[in-house]
């Protein structure tokens, strides 16, 4: 549920800036998966365990099976090159904390890894997700 709330918040931020059509969104990934179940990985069941340690930083390489999973996903979307992947979402009190990465599946390398936090004064998960999504999209697109 929280993951879907985060996805929706990020999509909302991209739409507000007129950029949603330039990204391959979760619904598009799921449609590709449904049409190609034998070939494509489930985008919600990726092998992201190697990305979880704090030692996984920009410039780090990631191996199999994640590199093959991501290469297959981008192959199904013509212009896709880089993957924005949420690694972990948790709450510290009322503050949402998202760890995410920009991954290049062709080189199996992290281009960026970072942590985005909502304000500590948020009182609902929905508001915290909106703040995190806003701050995440701000890293890549001017407000």
């Amino acid at each position: 549920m929280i993951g879907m709330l985060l996805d929706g918040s990020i999509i909302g931020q991209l739409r507000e800036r007129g950029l949603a059509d330039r990204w391959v969104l979760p619904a598009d990934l799921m449609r590709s998966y449904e049409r190609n179940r034998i070939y494509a990985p489930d985008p919600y069941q990726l092998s992201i365990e190697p990305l979880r340690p704090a030692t996984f930083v920009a410039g780090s390489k990631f191996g199999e099976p994640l590199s093959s999973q991501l290469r297959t996903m981008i192959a199904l979307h013509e212009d896709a090159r880089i993957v924005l992947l949420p690694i972990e979402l948790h709450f510290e009190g009322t503050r949402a904390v998202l760890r995410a990465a920009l991954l290049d599946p062709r080189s199996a390398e992290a281009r960026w890894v970072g942590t985005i936090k909502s304000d500590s004064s948020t009182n609902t998960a929905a508001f915290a997700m909106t703040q995190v999504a806003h701050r995440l999209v701000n890293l890549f697109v001017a407000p």
Side-chain angles (χ1 to χ4, degrees):
M1 167 96 170
I2 293 292
M4 292 176 74
L5 186 58
L6 177 62
D7 286 350
S9 295
I10 293 169
I11 293 165
Q13 290 297 314
L14 291 170
R15 282 194 177 125
E16 274 184 26
R17 297 166 199 216
L19 297 171
D21 61 333
R22 296 176 66 191
W23 289 65
V24 178
L25 302 173
D28 302 318
L29 295 173
M30 283 307 294
R31 277 191 293 279
S32 293
Y33 167 65
E34 292 296 332
R35 285 188 298 239
N36 301 284
R37 279 184 174 263
I38 293 173
Y39 178 67
D42 181 337
Y44 288 102
Q45 299 295 321
L46 298 174
S47 301
I48 64 165
E49 293 309 314
L51 311 183
R52 291 189 189 278
T55 55
F56 186 80
V57 296
S60 296
K61 295 281 193 176
F62 55 92
E64 296 295 339
L66 182 60
S67 59
S68 290
Q69 291 172 331
L70 295 179
R71 279 193 307 274
T72 301
M73 285 175 64
I74 67 168
L76 296 171
H77 300 276
E78 290 180 23
D79 295 330
R81 165 101 182 146
I82 301 293
V83 175
L84 173 61
L85 186 65
I87 298 170
E88 179 183 29
L89 174 67
H90 67 273
F91 284 84
E92 295 173 353
T94 58
R95 172 181 277 176
V97 180
L98 172 67
R99 187 156 184 266
L102 275 179
L103 304 175
D104 184 342
R106 293 176 186 169
S107 65
E109 185 176 333
R111 299 291 181 209
W112 172 85
V113 180
T115 301
I116 301 97
K117 298 179 180 183
S118 69
D119 290 337
S120 59
S121 61
T122 59
N123 56 4
T124 67
F127 186 69
M129 292 301 100
T130 300
Q131 279 192 337
V132 165
H134 180 77
R135 291 175 179 172
L136 176 65
V137 172
N138 280 351
L139 293 173
F140 307 108
V141 181

